Amino acid sequence: MSVELPFAPVDTVIRRNAGDLRVSAEAAEELARRIQSRGAALAVEAAERATEDGRKTLMAEDFADLAEGGVPANGDPEGLELPIAPVDRIARLDIDDSYRVAMDARVALATVLERYADRVAAAAAVLAEHADRRTIKEEDVAVYFRLAEYF
């Protein structure tokens, strides 16, 4: 699977959670892959909701309830690191071509994914520190997801 999301904004998200730690390029790549996978899965769920409502357009409210912790998914595109165009492509990866993705839905999904990335990046920083390293590595992101399976 090719990754639609550029690594540079993902690297920025990791670095804002890293404190004094460095960030490997592989960690940004791994997180970008995980963000893409999560975004595609959320879009499938949103498409199911739209279908239940008799719509072929994904809207922001389709993503609002999918945000972990019940966090509302509305956001300002100017305040986001993750670019909207790649998030739009991610949303369309696993859904039927007949669906449309409204602009507010793209922003909502980008907001949800950026919050998700922040949580993962913060946890990866803790794991790197726990391993007594000064660099967040790909394995820190991967270990987070292995641990998350248990909770």
Side-chain angles (χ1 to χ4, degrees), residues 69-151:
V71 177
N74 55 0
D76 176 13
E78 297 299 318
L80 294 173
E81 284 299 327
L82 300 182
I84 302 300
V87 169
D88 179 48
R89 290 191 298 273
I90 289 169
R92 298 169 191 277
L93 285 174
D94 293 338
I95 62 174
D96 188 299
D97 289 339
S98 65
Y99 285 98
R100 294 177 302 278
V101 183
M103 183 58 171
D104 65 341
R106 296 173 203 169
V107 173
L109 180 57
T111 302
V112 169
L113 292 177
E114 190 159 323
R115 290 177 182 164
Y116 174 76
D118 276 326
R119 190 178 66 254
V120 174
V126 169
L127 290 166
E129 288 174 343
H130 181 72
D132 202 26
R133 280 188 273 102
R134 295 192 33 138
T135 303
I136 298 172
K137 297 175 143 185
E138 176 182 9
E139 68 190 61
D140 299 314
V141 175
V143 166
Y144 167 81
F145 285 100
R146 283 198 305 268
L147 289 172
E149 290 176 7
Y150 296 103
F151 299 102

Side-chain angles (χ1 to χ4, degrees), residues 6-82:
F7 300 139
V10 176
D11 183 72
T12 300
V13 171
I14 294 177
R15 288 181 189 282
R16 77 175 172 217
N17 288 280
D20 293 335
L21 298 175
R22 294 177 293 217
V23 178
S24 73
E26 294 80 15
E29 290 175 27
E30 178 66 14
L31 184 53
R33 279 191 290 277
R34 300 292 184 141
I35 292 169
Q36 178 169 309
S37 176
R38 179 75 177 143
L42 289 174
V44 168
E45 290 180 49
E48 290 169 359
R49 288 177 176 209
T51 299
E52 289 171 5
D53 290 345
R55 293 182 282 112
K56 282 300 210 173
T57 301
L58 305 187
M59 301 171 72
E61 56 267 17
D62 295 324
F63 292 101
D65 295 338
L66 299 174
E68 280 118 23
V71 177
N74 55 0
D76 176 13
E78 297 299 318
L80 294 173
E81 284 299 327
L82 300 182

